[in-house]
Amino acid sequence: MENQVLTPHVYWAQRHRELYLRVELSDVQNPAISITENVLHFKAQGHGAKGDNVYEFHLEFLDLVKPEPVYKLTQRQVNITVQKKVNQWWERLTKQEKRPLFLAPDFDRWLDESDAEMELRAKEEERLNKLRIESQGSPETLISLKKGYLFMYNLVQFLGFSWMFVNMTVRFFILGKESFYDTFHTMADMMYFCQMLAVVETINAAIGVTKSPVIPSVLQLFGRNFILFIIFGTMEEMQNKAVVFFVFYIWSTIEIFRYPFYMLSCIDMDWKVLTWLRYTVWIPLYPLGCLAEAVSVIQSIPVFNETGRFSFTLPYPVKIKVRFSFFLQVYLIILFLGLYINFRHLYKQRRRRYGQRKKKTH
């Protein structure tokens, strides 16, 4: 009677360029690992689930791979890396749709496609940054200058938003609701300064000084400055409304946690309480901020209609008057779309930070 073929437990993960296989066999020596006709062949003596025996398996890949597998032996396992011929994402590992019983996802290395793309872009950006730094001068000097510049930027923003937060809080406890109605006149200059300075943040993301995504940064900058400069700044009737207090207060609350987190990151410090707050307070505050901004836009619509500011008439022969309130109604839709984009981006950041994983299937 022929001996039964024993198969080890095999765990797999992928990136756009590579496949990773982890074979659960300990004390392996001189394994036979090869790829022929797009099939991985493995055979080795080692200690697995069935004790010290010869284990083997064969896997036919879903798509073409390079026939030179690279493996590394450790005391507890065999790690195999296989290069794909075409850089692309595979929907599964094997040609056959039904997953072999001995094969399972390697959740220690698993990423979904979007996360893998971000990792790939980050590695490419890191490689390009290294080349850029090497061509421009001493890496240590440039990195120190960059960290110093980012630290000072975040410090200035933190001080500005902290001043507004403390000022509004103290005024509220002293004056109560009366403090709502002159918030713009007491805070506008500092808010103008901080929001104009925030342009630097978007430029940093666009030119690669920071790794922040450009689109969420642009959306936040445009949205806040539209509310500040157009809705509040150009209409005196809006400057005495209570909604100004709530918009400014929510913006300031968000930033007094965000900017010190970035400051500490510049000097490689991680204060766990601050980190948790930075990745958590946005969950209630971003929707509340969006709601406050929407209320300010809605309250401004009759004011713009009455004054006719920014409205215009199309030239002959159309001669239709286009009210600015029409654009404000369109902006309300864009406002909540921007909330969704920023919320999704921040949720993915939080999930990566705290390792929350979705269950993966083969």
Side-chain angles (χ1 to χ4, degrees), residues 118 125 201-217 258 262 278 345 349:
M118 292 183 68
E125 287 177 5
E201 204 165 326
T202 302
I203 295 172
N204 288 340
I207 65 177
V209 174
T210 62
K211 295 181 179 180
S212 303
V214 177
I215 292 178
S217 178
R258 189 167 72 96
Y262 289 146
R278 184 265 179 271
H345 163 65
Q349 277 191 330

Side-chain angles (χ1 to χ4, degrees), residues 100-258:
L101 295 178
F102 64 86
L103 184 66
D106 185 352
F107 289 117
D108 290 337
R109 302 194 72 168
W110 194 275
L111 292 177
D112 59 29
E113 185 175 2
S114 60
D115 288 337
E117 287 177 351
M118 292 183 68
E119 181 187 70
L120 189 64
R121 285 199 296 268
K123 287 182 178 178
E124 184 63 21
E125 287 177 5
E126 185 178 357
R127 186 185 69 83
L128 293 174
N129 284 335
K130 284 182 179 179
L131 292 174
R132 190 182 303 117
I133 289 171
E134 288 174 359
S135 65
Q136 291 176 351
S138 170
E140 293 79 8
T141 302
L142 291 174
I143 290 172
S144 297
L145 289 172
K146 173 183 170 181
K147 286 184 175 182
Y149 154 70
L150 291 175
F151 182 88
M152 290 305 300
Y153 166 77
N154 289 302
L155 175 62
V156 171
Q157 288 286 53
F158 170 64
L159 292 175
F161 281 105
S162 295
W163 182 87
M164 288 186 283
F165 177 82
V166 172
N167 199 310
M168 285 187 283
T169 302
V170 171
R171 286 172 53 81
F172 174 73
F173 280 111
I174 294 175
L175 302 175
K177 294 181 181 179
E178 292 299 319
S179 67
F180 292 171
Y181 304 104
D182 63 349
T183 297
F184 184 86
H185 300 289
T186 55
M187 303 294 150
D189 289 342
M190 182 61 73
M191 187 61 79
Y192 280 140
F193 171 78
C194 289
Q195 283 306 127
M196 287 189 290
L197 189 59
V199 174
V200 174
E201 204 165 326
T202 302
I203 295 172
N204 288 340
I207 65 177
V209 174
T210 62
K211 295 181 179 180
S212 303
V214 177
I215 292 178
S217 178
V218 170
L219 287 175
Q220 177 167 298
L221 178 69
F222 171 78
R224 287 189 179 183
N225 284 347
F226 181 83
I227 297 296
L228 177 62
F229 289 95
I230 303 299
I231 302 299
F232 296 153
T234 64
M235 303 299 293
E236 291 186 9
E237 296 87 344
M238 291 297 301
Q239 294 170 6
N240 297 320
K241 293 187 179 293
V243 71
V244 178
F245 173 87
F246 293 100
V247 171
F248 283 11
Y249 200 78
I250 292 171
W251 288 357
S252 299
T253 307
I254 292 171
E255 305 304 11
I256 63 173
F257 296 113
R258 189 167 72 96

